[in-house]
Coordinates of all heavy atoms in Angstrom, one line a residue:
M1 N -44.7 -74.6 86.5 CA -43.5 -74.5 87.1 C -43.3 -75.8 88.0 O -44.2 -76.2 88.6 CB -43.4 -73.3 88.0 CG -42.1 -73.2 88.8 SD -41.9 -71.7 89.7 CE -42.8 -72.1 91.2
R2 N -42.1 -76.3 88.0 CA -41.8 -77.4 88.9 C -40.7 -77.1 89.8 O -39.7 -76.4 89.4 CB -41.4 -78.6 88.0 CG -42.5 -79.2 87.1 CD -42.0 -80.4 86.4 NE -41.4 -81.5 87.2 CZ -42.1 -82.3 88.0 NH1 -43.4 -82.3 88.0 NH2 -41.5 -83.3 88.7
I3 N -40.9 -77.5 91.1 CA -39.9 -77.3 92.1 C -39.4 -78.6 92.6 O -40.2 -79.5 92.9 CB -40.4 -76.4 93.3 CG1 -40.9 -75.1 92.8 CG2 -39.4 -76.3 94.4 CD1 -41.6 -74.3 93.8
K4 N -38.1 -78.9 92.6 CA -37.6 -80.2 93.0 C -36.6 -79.9 94.1 O -35.6 -79.1 94.0 CB -36.9 -80.9 91.9 CG -36.4 -82.3 92.3 CD -35.9 -83.1 91.2 CE -35.5 -84.5 91.7 NZ -35.0 -85.3 90.6
V5 N -36.8 -80.5 95.3 CA -35.9 -80.4 96.4 C -35.1 -81.7 96.4 O -35.6 -82.8 96.7 CB -36.7 -80.3 97.8 CG1 -35.7 -80.2 98.9 CG2 -37.6 -79.1 97.7
V6 N -33.8 -81.6 96.0 CA -32.9 -82.7 95.8 C -32.6 -83.4 97.1 O -32.7 -84.7 97.2 CB -31.6 -82.3 95.1 CG1 -30.7 -83.5 94.9 CG2 -31.9 -81.6 93.8
K7 N -32.3 -82.7 98.2 CA -31.9 -83.3 99.4 C -33.0 -84.2 100.0 O -32.7 -85.3 100.5 CB -31.6 -82.2 100.4 CG -31.0 -82.7 101.7 CD -30.5 -81.6 102.6 CE -29.9 -82.1 103.9 NZ -29.5 -81.0 104.7
E8 N -34.3 -83.7 100.0 CA -35.4 -84.5 100.5 C -36.1 -85.4 99.4 O -37.0 -86.1 99.7 CB -36.4 -83.6 101.2 CG -35.9 -83.1 102.6 CD -35.0 -81.9 102.5 OE1 -35.0 -81.3 101.4 OE2 -34.4 -81.6 103.4
N9 N -35.6 -85.3 98.2 CA -36.2 -86.0 97.1 C -37.7 -85.7 96.9 O -38.5 -86.6 96.8 CB -35.9 -87.5 97.2 CG -36.2 -88.2 95.9 OD1 -36.2 -87.6 94.8 ND2 -36.4 -89.5 95.9
L10 N -38.0 -84.4 96.9 CA -39.4 -84.0 96.8 C -39.6 -83.2 95.5 O -38.7 -82.5 95.1 CB -39.8 -83.1 98.0 CG -39.8 -83.7 99.3 CD1 -40.1 -82.6 100.4 CD2 -40.8 -84.8 99.5
A11 N -40.7 -83.3 94.8 CA -41.0 -82.6 93.6 C -42.4 -82.0 93.7 O -43.4 -82.7 94.2 CB -40.9 -83.5 92.4
F12 N -42.6 -80.7 93.3 CA -43.8 -80.1 93.3 C -44.1 -79.5 91.9 O -43.2 -78.8 91.4 CB -43.9 -78.9 94.3 CG -43.6 -79.4 95.7 CD1 -42.3 -79.2 96.3 CD2 -44.6 -80.0 96.5 CE1 -42.0 -79.6 97.6 CE2 -44.3 -80.4 97.8 CZ -43.0 -80.2 98.3
A13 N -45.3 -79.6 91.4 CA -45.7 -79.0 90.2 C -46.8 -78.0 90.5 O -47.8 -78.3 91.1 CB -46.2 -80.0 89.2
V14 N -46.5 -76.7 90.1 CA -47.4 -75.7 90.4 C -47.9 -75.1 89.1 O -47.1 -74.6 88.3 CB -46.8 -74.6 91.3 CG1 -47.8 -73.5 91.6 CG2 -46.3 -75.2 92.6
E15 N -49.2 -75.1 88.8 CA -49.7 -74.6 87.6 C -50.1 -73.1 87.7 O -50.1 -72.4 86.7 CB -50.9 -75.4 87.1 CG -50.5 -76.9 86.9 CD -49.4 -77.1 85.9 OE1 -49.3 -76.3 84.9 OE2 -48.5 -78.0 86.1
D16 N -50.6 -72.7 88.9 CA -51.1 -71.4 89.1 C -49.9 -70.4 89.3 O -49.1 -70.6 90.2 CB -52.0 -71.3 90.3 CG -52.6 -70.0 90.5 OD1 -52.5 -69.1 89.6 OD2 -53.2 -69.8 91.6
L17 N -49.8 -69.4 88.5 CA -48.7 -68.5 88.6 C -48.6 -67.7 89.9 O -47.6 -67.5 90.5 CB -48.8 -67.4 87.4 CG -47.6 -66.5 87.3 CD1 -46.3 -67.2 87.1 CD2 -47.9 -65.5 86.2
R18 N -49.8 -67.4 90.5 CA -49.8 -66.7 91.8 C -49.3 -67.6 92.9 O -48.5 -67.1 93.7 CB -51.2 -66.2 92.1 CG -51.7 -65.1 91.1 CD -53.1 -64.8 91.3 NE -53.8 -65.9 90.9 CZ -55.1 -66.0 90.8 NH1 -55.9 -65.1 91.3 NH2 -55.7 -67.1 90.4
L19 N -49.7 -68.8 92.8 CA -49.2 -69.8 93.8 C -47.7 -70.0 93.7 O -47.0 -70.1 94.7 CB -50.0 -71.1 93.7 CG -49.7 -72.1 94.8 CD1 -50.0 -71.6 96.2 CD2 -50.5 -73.4 94.6
S20 N -47.2 -70.1 92.5 CA -45.8 -70.4 92.3 C -45.0 -69.2 92.8 O -43.9 -69.3 93.4 CB -45.5 -70.7 90.9 OG -45.8 -69.6 90.0
N21 N -45.5 -68.0 92.6 CA -44.8 -66.8 93.1 C -44.8 -66.7 94.6 O -43.8 -66.3 95.2 CB -45.5 -65.5 92.6 CG -45.1 -65.2 91.1 OD1 -44.1 -65.7 90.6 ND2 -46.0 -64.5 90.4
L22 N -45.9 -67.2 95.2 CA -46.0 -67.2 96.7 C -45.0 -68.2 97.2 O -44.2 -67.9 98.2 CB -47.4 -67.6 97.1 CG -47.6 -67.8 98.6 CD1 -47.3 -66.5 99.4 CD2 -48.9 -68.4 98.9
I23 N -44.9 -69.4 96.6 CA -44.0 -70.4 97.1 C -42.5 -69.9 96.9 O -41.7 -70.1 97.9 CB -44.2 -71.7 96.3 CG1 -45.5 -72.4 96.7 CG2 -43.1 -72.7 96.6 CD1 -45.9 -73.5 95.8
L24 N -42.2 -69.3 95.8 CA -40.9 -68.8 95.6 C -40.5 -67.7 96.6 O -39.4 -67.6 97.1 CB -40.7 -68.3 94.2 CG -40.6 -69.4 93.1 CD1 -40.5 -68.8 91.8 CD2 -39.4 -70.3 93.4
S25 N -41.5 -66.8 96.9 CA -41.3 -65.8 97.9 C -41.0 -66.3 99.3 O -40.1 -65.8 100.0 CB -42.5 -64.9 97.9 OG -42.7 -64.2 96.7
I26 N -41.7 -67.4 99.6 CA -41.5 -68.0 101.0 C -40.2 -68.6 101.0 O -39.4 -68.5 102.0 CB -42.6 -69.0 101.3 CG1 -44.0 -68.3 101.5 CG2 -42.3 -69.9 102.5 CD1 -45.2 -69.2 101.5
M27 N -39.8 -69.4 99.9 CA -38.5 -70.0 99.9 C -37.3 -69.0 100.0 O -36.3 -69.2 100.6 CB -38.4 -70.9 98.7 CG -39.3 -72.1 98.7 SD -39.3 -73.0 97.2 CE -37.6 -73.7 97.2
R28 N -37.5 -67.9 99.2 CA -36.5 -66.8 99.2 C -36.4 -66.2 100.6 O -35.3 -65.9 101.1 CB -37.0 -65.7 98.2 CG -35.9 -64.7 98.0 CD -36.3 -63.7 96.9 NE -37.0 -64.3 95.8 CZ -38.2 -64.0 95.3 NH1 -38.9 -63.1 95.9 NH2 -38.7 -64.6 94.3
A29 N -37.5 -66.0 101.3 CA -37.5 -65.4 102.7 C -36.7 -66.3 103.6 O -35.9 -65.9 104.5 CB -38.9 -65.2 103.2
F30 N -37.0 -67.7 103.6 CA -36.3 -68.6 104.4 C -34.8 -68.6 104.1 O -34.0 -68.7 105.0 CB -36.8 -70.0 104.3 CG -38.1 -70.2 105.2 CD1 -39.3 -70.5 104.6 CD2 -38.0 -70.2 106.5 CE1 -40.4 -70.7 105.4 CE2 -39.1 -70.4 107.3 CZ -40.3 -70.7 106.7
G31 N -34.4 -68.5 102.8 CA -33.0 -68.5 102.5 C -32.3 -67.3 103.0 O -31.2 -67.3 103.5
E32 N -33.0 -66.1 102.9 CA -32.4 -64.9 103.4 C -32.3 -64.9 104.9 O -31.3 -64.5 105.4 CB -33.3 -63.7 103.0 CG -32.7 -62.3 103.3 CD -33.5 -61.2 102.8 OE1 -34.4 -61.4 101.9 OE2 -33.3 -60.1 103.3
F33 N -33.3 -65.4 105.6 CA -33.2 -65.5 107.0 C -32.1 -66.4 107.5 O -31.3 -66.1 108.4 CB -34.6 -66.1 107.6 CG -34.6 -66.3 109.0 CD1 -34.6 -65.2 109.9 CD2 -34.6 -67.5 109.6 CE1 -34.6 -65.3 111.3 CE2 -34.7 -67.7 111.0 CZ -34.7 -66.6 111.8
K34 N -31.9 -67.5 106.8 CA -30.8 -68.5 107.1 C -29.4 -67.7 106.9 O -28.5 -67.9 107.7 CB -30.9 -69.7 106.2 CG -29.8 -70.7 106.5 CD -30.0 -72.0 105.6 CE -28.9 -72.9 105.9 NZ -29.0 -74.1 105.1
W35 N -29.3 -67.0 105.8 CA -28.1 -66.2 105.5 C -27.8 -65.2 106.6 O -26.7 -65.1 107.0 CB -28.2 -65.6 104.1 CG -27.0 -64.8 103.8 CD1 -26.9 -63.4 103.7 CD2 -25.7 -65.3 103.4 NE1 -25.6 -63.1 103.3 CE2 -24.9 -64.2 103.1 CE3 -25.2 -66.6 103.3 CZ2 -23.6 -64.3 102.8 CZ3 -23.9 -66.7 102.9 CH2 -23.1 -65.6 102.7
I36 N -28.8 -64.5 107.1 CA -28.7 -63.6 108.1 C -28.2 -64.2 109.4 O -27.3 -63.7 110.1 CB -30.0 -62.8 108.4 CG1 -30.3 -61.9 107.2 CG2 -30.0 -62.0 109.7 CD1 -31.7 -61.3 107.3
L37 N -28.7 -65.4 109.7 CA -28.3 -66.1 110.9 C -26.8 -66.6 110.8 O -26.0 -66.5 111.8 CB -29.2 -67.3 111.2 CG -30.6 -67.1 111.6 CD1 -31.4 -68.3 111.8 CD2 -30.6 -66.3 112.9
I38 N -26.4 -67.0 109.6 CA -25.0 -67.5 109.4 C -24.1 -66.3 109.6 O -23.1 -66.4 110.3 CB -24.9 -68.1 108.0 CG1 -25.6 -69.4 107.9 CG2 -23.4 -68.2 107.6 CD1 -25.7 -70.0 106.5
R39 N -24.4 -65.1 109.0 CA -23.6 -64.0 109.1 C -23.5 -63.5 110.6 O -22.4 -63.1 111.1 CB -24.1 -62.8 108.3 CG -24.1 -63.1 106.8 CD -22.7 -63.2 106.2 NE -22.1 -61.9 106.4 CZ -20.9 -61.6 106.0 NH1 -20.1 -62.6 105.4 NH2 -20.4 -60.4 106.1
K40 N -24.6 -63.6 111.3 CA -24.6 -63.2 112.8 C -23.7 -64.1 113.6 O -22.9 -63.6 114.4 CB -26.0 -63.3 113.3 CG -26.1 -62.8 114.7 CD -27.5 -63.0 115.3 CE -27.6 -62.6 116.7 NZ -28.9 -62.9 117.3
R41 N -23.8 -65.4 113.3 CA -22.9 -66.3 114.1 C -21.4 -66.1 113.7 O -20.6 -66.2 114.6 CB -23.3 -67.8 113.7 CG -24.5 -68.2 114.4 CD -24.7 -69.8 114.4 NE -24.5 -70.3 113.1 CZ -25.5 -70.6 112.3 NH1 -26.8 -70.4 112.7 NH2 -25.3 -71.1 111.1
Q42 N -21.2 -65.8 112.5 CA -19.8 -65.5 112.0 C -19.3 -64.2 112.8 O -18.1 -64.3 113.3 CB -19.8 -65.3 110.5 CG -18.4 -65.0 110.0 CD -18.3 -64.8 108.5 OE1 -19.4 -64.4 107.9 NE2 -17.2 -65.0 107.9
R43 N -20.1 -63.2 112.8 CA -19.6 -62.0 113.5 C -19.4 -62.2 115.0 O -18.4 -61.7 115.6 CB -20.7 -60.9 113.4 CG -20.6 -60.2 112.0 CD -21.5 -58.9 112.0 NE -22.9 -59.1 112.4 CZ -23.8 -59.4 111.6 NH1 -23.6 -59.6 110.3 NH2 -25.1 -59.6 112.0
E44 N -20.3 -63.1 115.6 CA -20.1 -63.4 117.0 C -18.8 -64.2 117.2 O -18.1 -64.0 118.2 CB -21.3 -64.2 117.6 CG -22.6 -63.4 117.7 CD -23.8 -64.2 118.0 OE1 -23.7 -65.5 118.0 OE2 -24.8 -63.6 118.2
G45 N -18.5 -65.1 116.3 CA -17.3 -65.9 116.4 C -16.0 -65.1 116.3 O -15.1 -65.2 117.0
I46 N -16.1 -64.1 115.4 CA -14.9 -63.2 115.2 C -14.7 -62.3 116.4 O -13.6 -62.1 116.8 CB -15.1 -62.4 113.9 CG1 -15.0 -63.3 112.7 CG2 -14.1 -61.2 113.8 CD1 -15.4 -62.6 111.3
A47 N -15.8 -61.8 116.9 CA -15.7 -61.0 118.1 C -15.1 -61.8 119.3 O -14.3 -61.3 120.0 CB -17.1 -60.4 118.5
L48 N -15.5 -63.0 119.5 CA -15.0 -63.9 120.6 C -13.5 -64.1 120.3 O -12.7 -64.0 121.2 CB -15.8 -65.2 120.6 CG -15.2 -66.2 121.7 CD1 -15.4 -65.6 123.1 CD2 -16.0 -67.5 121.5
A49 N -13.1 -64.4 119.1 CA -11.7 -64.7 118.8 C -10.9 -63.4 119.0 O -9.8 -63.5 119.5 CB -11.6 -65.2 117.3
K50 N -11.4 -62.2 118.7 CA -10.7 -61.0 118.9 C -10.5 -60.8 120.4 O -9.4 -60.4 120.9 CB -11.4 -59.8 118.4 CG -11.3 -59.7 116.9 CD -12.0 -58.4 116.4 CE -11.9 -58.3 114.9 NZ -12.6 -57.1 114.4
R51 N -11.5 -61.1 121.2 CA -11.3 -60.9 122.7 C -10.3 -61.9 123.3 O -9.6 -61.6 124.2 CB -12.7 -61.2 123.4 CG -13.6 -60.0 123.3 CD -14.8 -60.1 124.3 NE -15.5 -61.4 124.2 CZ -16.6 -61.6 123.5 NH1 -17.1 -60.6 122.7 NH2 -17.2 -62.7 123.4
L52 N -10.2 -63.1 122.7 CA -9.2 -64.1 123.1 C -7.8 -63.9 122.5 O -6.9 -64.5 122.8 CB -9.7 -65.5 122.8 CG -11.0 -65.9 123.5 CD1 -11.5 -67.3 123.0 CD2 -10.8 -65.9 125.0
G53 N -7.8 -62.9 121.6 CA -6.5 -62.6 120.9 C -6.1 -63.6 119.8 O -5.0 -63.7 119.4
A54 N -7.0 -64.4 119.4 CA -6.7 -65.4 118.4 C -7.1 -65.0 117.0 O -6.9 -65.8 116.0 CB -7.5 -66.7 118.7
Y55 N -7.7 -63.9 116.8 CA -8.1 -63.5 115.5 C -7.1 -62.6 114.8 O -6.6 -61.6 115.3 CB -9.4 -62.7 115.6 CG -10.0 -62.2 114.2 CD1 -10.6 -63.1 113.4 CD2 -9.9 -60.9 113.8 CE1 -11.1 -62.7 112.2 CE2 -10.4 -60.5 112.6 CZ -11.0 -61.4 111.8 OH -11.5 -61.0 110.6
R56 N -6.7 -63.0 113.6 CA -5.8 -62.2 112.8 C -6.5 -62.0 111.5 O -6.8 -63.0 110.7 CB -4.5 -62.9 112.6 CG -3.6 -62.9 113.8 CD -2.3 -63.6 113.6 NE -2.4 -65.0 113.3 CZ -2.4 -66.0 114.3 NH1 -2.3 -65.6 115.5 NH2 -2.5 -67.2 114.0
A57 N -6.8 -60.8 111.2 CA -7.5 -60.5 109.9 C -6.7 -60.8 108.7 O -5.4 -60.8 108.8 CB -8.0 -59.0 109.9
R58 N -7.3 -60.9 107.6 CA -6.6 -61.2 106.4 C -5.8 -59.9 106.0 O -6.2 -58.8 106.2 CB -7.6 -61.4 105.3 CG -7.0 -61.8 103.9 CD -8.0 -62.2 103.0 NE -9.0 -61.2 102.7 CZ -10.0 -61.3 101.9 NH1 -10.2 -62.5 101.3 NH2 -10.8 -60.3 101.6
K59 N -4.5 -60.2 105.5 CA -3.7 -59.0 105.2 C -4.3 -58.3 104.0 O -4.8 -58.8 103.1 CB -2.3 -59.5 104.8 CG -1.5 -60.1 105.9 CD -0.1 -60.5 105.5 CE 0.6 -61.2 106.6 NZ 2.0 -61.6 106.3
R60 N -4.2 -56.9 104.1 CA -4.7 -56.1 103.0 C -3.7 -56.2 101.8 O -2.5 -56.3 102.0 CB -4.7 -54.6 103.5 CG -5.6 -54.4 104.7 CD -6.8 -53.7 104.3 NE -7.7 -53.5 105.4 CZ -9.0 -53.4 105.3 NH1 -9.5 -53.3 104.1 NH2 -9.7 -53.3 106.3
I61 N -4.3 -56.1 100.6 CA -3.5 -56.1 99.4 C -3.8 -54.8 98.7 O -4.8 -54.2 98.8 CB -3.9 -57.3 98.5 CG1 -5.4 -57.2 98.1 CG2 -3.6 -58.6 99.1 CD1 -5.8 -58.2 97.0
A62 N -2.7 -54.3 98.0 CA -2.8 -53.1 97.3 C -3.5 -53.3 95.9 O -3.0 -54.2 95.2 CB -1.5 -52.5 97.1
I63 N -4.5 -52.6 95.6 CA -5.1 -52.7 94.3 C -4.7 -51.5 93.5 O -4.9 -50.3 93.9 CB -6.6 -52.8 94.5 CG1 -7.0 -54.0 95.3 CG2 -7.3 -52.8 93.1 CD1 -8.5 -54.1 95.6
A64 N -4.1 -51.8 92.3 CA -3.6 -50.7 91.5 C -4.7 -50.1 90.6 O -5.7 -50.6 90.3 CB -2.5 -51.2 90.6

């Protein structure tokens, strides 16, 4: 398995299946953690905008 990080221009070749599973699990955990932080900041921003009266939710649409 080869892992290439485009942004930092890094490449890793992993031959051991257990090691490659470990690396992918760690990368997945960091990605999920980052997603959780983004969603938390978004909720905090929406709550602040609601308190200031600047938040208008998206209009609901009827689904047939």
Side-chain angles (χ1 to χ4, degrees):
M1 177 175 85
R2 294 184 51 81
I3 299 172
K4 183 172 184 179
V5 182
V6 177
K7 188 175 180 181
E8 284 83 17
N9 197 20
L10 300 172
F12 303 99
V14 181
E15 302 302 325
D16 184 12
L17 184 60
R18 291 172 293 183
L19 184 58
S20 62
N21 284 338
L22 174 65
I23 291 172
L24 287 176
S25 295
I26 292 171
M27 292 174 70
R28 191 177 316 123
F30 277 114
E32 186 175 344
F33 179 68
K34 183 177 178 180
W35 180 251
I36 289 169
L37 290 178
I38 290 170
R39 298 291 296 181
K40 181 182 176 189
R41 283 196 309 264
Q42 183 182 22
R43 281 192 305 271
E44 290 171 352
I46 290 172
L48 177 63
K50 282 182 179 180
R51 282 195 305 269
L52 297 175
Y55 181 77
R56 289 183 290 274
R58 183 171 64 181
K59 291 183 181 180
R60 300 250 179 207
I61 59 170
I63 299 175

